[in-house]
């Protein structure tokens, strides 16, 4: 991010809700559903349990500020800077309305600090993508040299 900011380049934050995992709408009962989540490391066995515990932490923080977990997550990402745009997806109109509600959420510095402490960089259990899929993604390759 420092390089992007130095060059005046905005950042699109992809996967803010981790494919719904931290939206407050996901449950372990849905873990047998087909689709990407079925192969995603973050939705597998022990990783899923650890990540749902993170979602519970987010829910508790969201309740304290009277917003949904999804709104808290989106607002937190947006609060990282005006050069960051959280990218959200929704398959249902009510989920889109909920996510758009994050635009009205003004997090106080103490809320941002609590969220930062609860969710340090790299806290999610499991990779974003399976290893075999990473091999085909330029943005996930390590720089050579």
């Amino acid at each position: 991010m420092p390089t992007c900011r130095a060059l005046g380049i905005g950042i699109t934050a992809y996967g803010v809700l981790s494919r719904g995992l931290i939206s407050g709408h996901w449950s372990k009962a849905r873990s047998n559903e087909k689709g990407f989540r079925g192969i995603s490391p973050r939705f597998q066995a022990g990783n899923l349990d650890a990540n749902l515990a993170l979602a519970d932490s987010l829910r508790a923080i969201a309740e304290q500020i009277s917003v949904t977990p999804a709104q808290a997550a989106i607002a937190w990402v947006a609060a990282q800077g005006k050069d960051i745009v959280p990218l959200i997806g929704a398959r249902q109109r009510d989920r889109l309305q909920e996510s758009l509600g994050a635009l009205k959420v003004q997090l106080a510095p103490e809320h941002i600090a609590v969220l930062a402490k609860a969710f340090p960089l790299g806290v999610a259990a499991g990779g974003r993508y399976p290893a075999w899929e990473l091999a085909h993604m330029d943005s996930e390759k390590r720089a050579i040299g």
Side-chain angles (χ1 to χ4, degrees), residues 3-139:
T3 301
C4 287
R5 286 185 167 148
L7 296 173
I9 299 170
I11 299 167
T12 302
Y14 174 78
V16 173
L17 299 177
S18 192
R19 299 194 182 266
L21 184 60
I22 62 170
S23 68
H25 302 292
W26 187 262
S27 71
K28 196 168 182 174
R30 295 180 60 190
S31 62
N32 291 331
E33 290 182 10
K34 295 188 188 232
F36 179 80
R37 293 177 187 103
I39 62 169
S40 172
R42 291 191 178 161
F43 287 83
Q44 304 303 309
N47 292 340
L48 180 60
D49 292 334
N51 291 327
L52 286 173
L54 290 172
D56 288 341
S57 296
L58 178 61
R59 179 178 284 108
I61 295 167
E63 286 174 359
Q64 291 173 11
I65 56 177
S66 301
V67 299
T68 69
Q71 290 168 337
I74 296 165
W76 182 44
V77 171
Q80 303 306 306
K82 294 204 179 287
D83 55 346
I84 298 177
V85 177
L87 180 64
I88 54 118
R91 293 183 183 177
Q92 299 172 357
R93 193 169 283 182
D94 61 330
R95 298 283 198 261
L96 177 60
Q97 287 301 113
E98 176 187 12
S99 294
L100 291 173
L103 294 171
K104 298 175 186 172
V105 176
Q106 295 293 317
L107 297 174
E110 57 269 18
H111 299 139
I112 294 169
V114 168
L115 287 162
K117 184 177 180 183
F119 304 100
L121 187 62
V123 72
R128 183 178 285 223
Y129 299 100
W132 59 266
E133 203 171 90
L134 284 176
H136 304 289
M137 296 181 181
D138 289 340
S139 66

